[in-house]
Amino acid sequence: MSMIKVDDFKKRLNPSQLDAVMTVEGPLLVVAGAGTGKTRVIEYRCLYMVEQGIAPENILLLTFTRKAAREMVGRASLLDPRCKKIEGGTFHSFAYRVIKKYKNVIGLGEHISFIDESDSSDALHLLAVKAGYLEDKGRFPKKDTLRSILSMSINRNQAIRDVLIKDYPHFLPLELQLYDMQKKYAEYKIARNLIDFDDMLIYLKFLLEEPEVNKSVSSQFKYIMVDEFQDTNRIQADIVYSLAKTHNNCMAVGDDTQSIYSFRGAYYKNMFDFPNRFPDTRIIKLEYNYRSIQPILDVANAVIEGEKRKYSKVLFTTCQGDDKPTLSYFKDAFAESEWVADKIKEYHDQGVPLSSIGVLYRSNFLSLPTQMSLSKLNIPFAVYGGMKFIETAHIKDVLAFLKVHHNPKDEISLARVLMLLDGIGPSTAEKVKDIIADPSRPGLGEQLKGVVKNPSVRKDLEQLAALFVSLGRTKETEGKIRKVMHFYTPILKEKFDDYPVRQEDLKAFLEISSSYASLEQFLVDFVTIEPPERSLVSMKAKKEDERPVTLSTVHSAKGLEWEVVFIVALMDGSLPVSYALDDEESIEEERRLLYVAVTRAKRHLHLSMHNEGRQGGMNSFNRLSRFISDAGVMDKLQQDYAWFEDEGPDLEDIAAQKIDKQGLYHKLVDYFDSPYAQDNF
């Protein structure tokens, strides 16, 4: 028996939620704004349908994670145990069950094997070897990159060429070979009765196009619900339409303004195509927000107002609080990060748990200054959306060069540097490390000749030794790192298929170094960035087991929330990211990304940007993100020009120097034309 009656729904749901829950027959699109309780709608809709006599076995809930399905069905089951029989799971788990049952229909053998990403990569490597592609002089993608390219092509519904243009332009000359690999891989799997992760969706789509299979599956699942519909790709949307086309009982829940995963294949236009595929669709908007105070929602509403295509909605709340979000400007990334760290300490001293504070940014490399500033104050932090900057292989490589230069007796770092060179393994590294560690000694060539027979390897070692000599003659920290990066760049390109992304990290690494007169101090500050479990918190109300501050990319922060949120580096080129500036759809997604970031904050929101950056060794001026500089957004923010009051050269004097020395007049015109500069001068 149910433990909840229909009348109770009115007490537990707001009017829009209740409308969505009680609309059972026919197509329904629920446009759920951030923090508006879409999960509760799905949970209570499960309850309501079962309460109305619909067999739970006839209900299908499709989600993007098993956890989400378990939680929604599980909570409904606590109120009515019959809900346990609802079929809930991911698109892929559902596909697995259908394929297993109807495999003979599409010609699959009796015993099919599902291969994971690792097996898929290994198979592609084997096929590339057999095709002779790894023997060519030209660089061929590594096995994991190869799998990623083919997978992107399927999930984005794009030709391989389009995937290469966007993500791997350096592999465009190999376009024909990659098309051939796509064909060979398909033949390989079919011949061996193998199905990979992407095939599950494709085969499910094929099966549902078979009339008898579609009739059987649709007759079982007469009521379809789909969570996070804005994140579905085109294949998943086609699957949903096929499942529901005979009875039209389909509810899709999503938010077009939170569609930020196009790089995974998410097609936000599915939200707009839904009413076209189901002409009698009811559209219900959820706009009451349970998470944030109104001043934060005002900023979110203003940011998304500029989006060209959307389901218009205005988030509102009765949550108490009137702290106006702030927008702060800083001289450079260091001043910005130090302010963030000090502000976090201030909040913690006031009793805010560190775990209730989040620092968000567009790209991982933008977090480096904040990591360093938090470490200096012994504030523990956890990094989401990627490894800590210092733990990435390419940063470790560059650090190893600098450590050896600073301390030639650092054998661990020297071994790492040596084994970056072709033809040098542990044995050779052990033989030559003492020679390379002191390249100033005479007779370097003869010494190397005595222990290394290969002329090519000897030449590489001599160039490495010359690098260390050159580093010894260079005084500036930035200059030393620039020379290391020049030496390391060919290695980077050979070692990593995604080297363009890693080059951005190295640029940030170089920019950080520009403020250090001493390499030793730079290394001390940089390598003492501690993981959370080894960092101590010497602040009021310290708890031994307190969870750390969260540092996260905005992509990884979706679905999370914090009492206090800092969004840093809000400049054009950072958010929106530079490679999106020439593409209208990409710009729109960047706007949605900022909207997602803003709506993570519950009570306090701090936006910031820094004015000075470094481009090619020269100072440059950043511009405030176009999404913030809009007058409608600026009106909702409390602005802080504290950085103009810093001691040091006058800003206009600095600007004049840049015009004279570096020809950056066009940057200055842009800067002084910007809204925040006009307000100040």
Side-chain angles (χ1 to χ4, degrees):
M1 287 294 294
S2 172
M3 299 174 64
I4 181 172
K5 301 302 179 183
V6 175
D7 288 345
D8 294 331
F9 286 77
K10 297 178 181 179
K11 301 175 184 177
R12 303 187 182 205
L13 303 167
N14 67 45
S16 297
Q17 291 175 324
L18 183 65
D19 194 10
V21 164
M22 298 180 72
T23 303
V24 173
E25 302 294 332
L28 172 64
L29 179 64
V30 178
V31 182
T36 56
K38 69 175 181 62
T39 301
R40 174 167 286 240
V41 166
I42 295 174
E43 172 192 343
Y44 276 84
R45 197 169 189 265
C46 290
L47 281 168
Y48 182 76
M49 286 193 290
V50 172
E51 182 69 30
Q52 294 302 297
I54 295 172
E57 297 88 348
N58 293 149
I59 302 171
L60 173 65
L61 169 60
L62 294 173
T63 64
F64 276 86
T65 66
R66 294 190 191 95
K67 181 182 177 184
R70 283 197 305 266
E71 287 182 352
M72 285 186 277
V73 173
R75 283 197 293 266
S77 301
L78 290 175
L79 296 172
D80 191 328
R82 291 176 295 178
C83 291
K84 290 180 181 178
K85 296 181 181 179
I86 291 174
E87 185 83 13
T90 65
F91 278 89
H92 290 87
S93 63
F94 176 69
Y96 170 82
R97 290 191 287 275
V98 176
I99 292 169
K100 189 175 181 180
K101 184 175 181 179
Y102 298 102
K103 55 184 177 293
N104 295 331
V105 175
I106 50 176
L108 290 170
E110 185 62 28
H111 301 289
I112 55 177
S113 297
F114 294 88
I115 57 176
D116 61 18
E117 292 183 351
S118 176
D119 293 334
S120 175
S121 296
D122 290 342
L124 286 165
H125 179 73
L126 176 65
L127 293 171
V129 170
K130 287 183 177 180
Y133 292 144
L134 301 186
E135 298 173 5
D136 293 345
K137 292 182 179 180
R139 166 79 176 276
F140 201 73
K142 294 182 173 64
K143 61 181 184 179
D144 289 340
T145 304
L146 189 54
R147 181 196 57 75
S148 179
I149 291 170
L150 300 187
S151 180
M152 286 179 185
S153 176
I154 292 170
N155 284 287
R156 295 181 185 171
N157 196 34
Q158 287 182 333
I160 285 177
R161 178 176 181 79
D162 293 330
V163 173
L164 296 178
I165 289 172
K166 183 172 178 59
D167 294 287
Y168 298 96
H170 46 294
F171 287 136
L172 268 171
L174 300 173
E175 178 186 355
L176 294 180
Q177 291 95 315
L178 292 174
Y179 274 115
D180 184 50
M181 285 299 303
Q182 189 177 51
K183 180 182 177 182
K184 282 180 165 58
Y185 182 47
E187 293 171 345
Y188 175 90
K189 289 182 291 183
I190 291 171
R192 291 161 180 78
N193 231 33
L194 303 175
I195 295 179
D196 67 16
F197 199 66
D198 296 321
D199 291 334
M200 289 186 186
L201 297 182
I202 294 173
Y203 283 130
L204 176 58
K205 182 177 184 295
F206 290 164
L207 281 169
L208 292 175
E209 290 170 353
E210 297 290 329
E212 290 305 313
V213 175
N214 188 287
K215 181 180 179 181
S216 176
V217 176
S218 295
S219 64
Q220 178 183 352
F221 300 112
K222 299 176 182 177
Y223 297 88
I224 313 295
M225 290 187 286
V226 187
D227 188 24
E228 302 285 11
F229 195 67
Q230 81 280 351
D231 291 336
T232 53
N233 60 30
R234 296 190 188 189
I235 297 175
Q236 289 166 325
D238 286 341
I239 288 169
V240 172
Y241 301 139
S242 293
L243 282 169
K245 68 180 180 181
T246 58
H247 50 64
N248 283 352
N249 297 325
C250 180
M251 179 183 80
V253 183
D255 183 4
D256 54 298
T257 53
Q258 292 190 78
S259 181
I260 58 174
Y261 297 122
S262 65
F263 64 94
R264 296 180 186 168
Y267 188 61
Y268 85 102
K269 291 181 181 178
N270 285 341
M271 288 286 292
F272 302 101
D273 290 342
F274 189 92
N276 298 327
R277 301 291 285 266
F278 296 111
D280 297 324
T281 295
R282 274 203 69 195
I283 299 176
I284 297 175
K285 299 176 184 178
L286 304 183
E287 297 173 290
Y288 181 84
N289 181 283
Y290 292 90
R291 177 186 299 151
S292 309
I293 61 174
Q294 193 61 49
I296 291 173
L297 298 180
D298 289 342
V299 173
N301 290 331
V303 166
I304 210 62
E305 179 62 28
E307 190 173 26
K308 292 180 172 60
R309 188 181 187 188
K310 62 182 179 297
Y311 286 107
S312 296
K313 55 186 176 299
V314 178
L315 297 180
F316 67 96
T317 188
T318 55
C319 294
Q320 297 299 308
D322 56 5
D323 282 2
K324 197 171 185 179
T326 65
L327 172 61
S328 301
Y329 308 96
F330 299 93
K331 180 180 179 182
D332 52 35
F334 314 107
E336 182 181 25
S337 65
E338 287 171 2
W339 178 83
V340 169
D342 288 340
K343 197 73 177 174
I344 288 174
K345 182 181 183 303
E346 180 183 321
Y347 273 117
H348 189 270
D349 288 345
Q350 294 170 0
V352 178
L354 294 178
S355 59
S356 296
I357 302 174
V359 182
L360 307 182
Y361 36 82
R362 173 60 176 86
S363 305
N364 256 316
F365 69 86
L366 295 168
S367 73
L368 177 56
T370 304
Q371 291 186 39
M372 297 181 74
S373 293
L374 291 174
S375 292
K376 288 178 181 178
L377 294 182
N378 289 320
I379 299 175
F381 60 90
V383 179
Y384 288 75
M387 299 173 67
K388 281 192 175 183
F389 205 85
I390 195 172
E391 294 170 355
T392 55
H394 51 299
I395 296 298
K396 280 189 168 184
D397 288 346
V398 172
L399 277 172
F401 284 94
L402 298 173
K403 288 179 181 179
V404 172
H405 164 62
H406 179 65
N407 176 17
K409 294 182 179 180
D410 185 342
E411 293 186 349
I412 296 174
S413 296
L414 181 56
R416 184 182 186 101
V417 168
L418 289 169
M419 286 190 287
L420 288 172
L421 306 181
D422 283 340
I424 296 183
S427 178
T428 304
E430 183 65 27
K431 292 177 182 177
V432 303
K433 66 181 183 181
D434 290 335
I435 301 172
I436 299 297
D438 187 9
S440 60
R441 290 187 302 183
L444 175 69
E446 289 302 315
Q447 292 180 68
L448 289 174
K449 194 172 183 180
V451 293
V452 179
K453 304 304 179 187
N454 187 317
S456 176
V457 175
R458 284 204 306 272
K459 182 179 178 181
D460 288 344
L461 287 169
E462 288 174 359
Q463 290 176 342
L464 176 62
L467 169 66
F468 285 128
V469 171
S470 178
L471 292 178
R473 295 170 179 167
T474 305
K475 293 182 178 180
E476 300 83 5
T477 301
E478 183 181 5
K480 292 176 187 287
I481 295 177
R482 194 176 294 281
K483 288 185 176 181
V484 169
M485 286 173 57
H486 179 75
F487 183 91
Y488 179 68
T489 294
I491 299 172
L492 177 80
K493 292 182 176 181
E494 182 64 29
K495 187 176 180 181
F496 302 106
D497 286 342
D498 62 345
Y499 72 83
V501 176
R502 295 174 188 261
Q503 280 182 317
E504 292 301 313
D505 288 350
L506 293 177
K507 289 178 184 177
F509 184 84
L510 182 64
E511 183 173 340
I512 291 293
S513 72
S514 64
S515 66
Y516 285 85
S518 161
L519 175 63
E520 180 177 19
Q521 188 58 51
F522 174 76
L523 290 174
V524 168
D525 284 356
F526 202 92
V527 303
T528 52
I529 298 177
E530 298 281 0
E533 65 273 13
R534 285 162 52 194
S535 183
L536 300 176
V537 187
S538 54
M539 292 181 283
K540 295 179 182 177
K542 188 189 84 169
K543 299 178 182 178
E544 292 299 326
D545 60 344
E546 184 166 28
R547 289 178 296 156
V549 172
T550 297
L551 272 57
S552 176
T553 60
V554 183
H555 283 105
S556 296
K558 187 174 178 291
L560 303 177
E561 59 185 38
W562 295 271
E563 290 289 321
V564 183
V565 168
F566 296 85
I567 309 176
V568 300
L570 284 171
M571 299 89 66
D572 263 15
S574 295
L575 207 172
V577 72
S578 57
Y579 57 74
L581 297 179
D582 296 326
D583 180 72
E584 186 173 320
E585 286 209 354
S586 296
I587 283 289
E588 291 296 282
E589 181 160 326
E590 293 291 301
R591 181 187 296 277
R592 297 194 294 270
L593 202 60
L594 178 57
Y595 172 81
V596 168
V598 168
T599 54
R600 299 311 94 196
K602 297 168 74 172
R603 298 198 62 81
H604 304 284
L605 175 65
H606 300 285
L607 313 181
S608 63
M609 63 88 70
H610 54 269
N611 183 60
E612 290 185 9
R614 300 277 284 177
Q615 293 289 338
M618 300 186 299
N619 282 358
S620 61
F621 289 117
N622 298 316
R623 297 190 70 175
L624 182 65
S625 169
R626 63 191 65 190
F627 306 138
I628 300 295
S629 60
D630 177 84
V633 179
M634 295 290 272
D635 288 345
K636 308 296 188 297
L637 299 168
Q638 177 181 327
Q639 297 184 65
D640 177 13
Y641 296 90
W643 74 270
F644 282 103
E645 299 168 6
D646 289 348
E647 293 182 4
D650 181 78
L651 182 64
E652 291 180 274
D653 289 342
I654 295 175
Q657 292 172 23
K658 300 309 170 196
I659 294 172
D660 295 337
K661 294 183 178 180
Q662 298 168 2
L664 297 177
Y665 177 74
H666 63 287
K667 290 182 181 291
L668 293 171
V669 170
D670 285 348
Y671 170 70
F672 287 113
D673 281 346
S674 64
Y676 58 91
Q678 291 174 359
D679 288 344
N680 190 70
F681 293 106

